Amino acid sequence: MSDADSAPGHDLAFALQVTGFEPATEPPAPDSPLGRVLAIAEEHGYEALTDEHFDAAARGEL
């Protein structure tokens, strides 16, 4: 991710602000879809993640 003081970092911060989001400063909750995907990545490596993992997490099946 870009440094917040760089031009791309400012662009990202602006885009997030305009759309009502803000960058996360804490890791996701372990029981959240992203938290479950990251747990799989930590255990098996990021290379092991597939689209199916993300789809299953979004459906609440992980």
Side-chain angles (χ1 to χ4, degrees):
M1 187 144 186
S2 302
D3 179 359
D5 293 330
S6 68
H10 286 293
D11 292 344
L12 176 60
F14 177 73
L16 290 171
Q17 180 182 15
V18 168
T19 56
F21 294 93
E22 60 184 66
T25 56
E26 299 292 325
D31 61 340
S32 70
L34 181 56
R36 291 189 290 271
V37 168
L38 291 177
I40 291 171
E42 187 174 311
E43 185 174 334
H44 301 286
Y46 286 95
E47 305 82 29
L49 292 176
T50 64
D51 289 342
E52 288 78 22
H53 288 107
F54 291 95
D55 293 341
R59 292 188 306 266
E61 297 173 358
L62 276 183

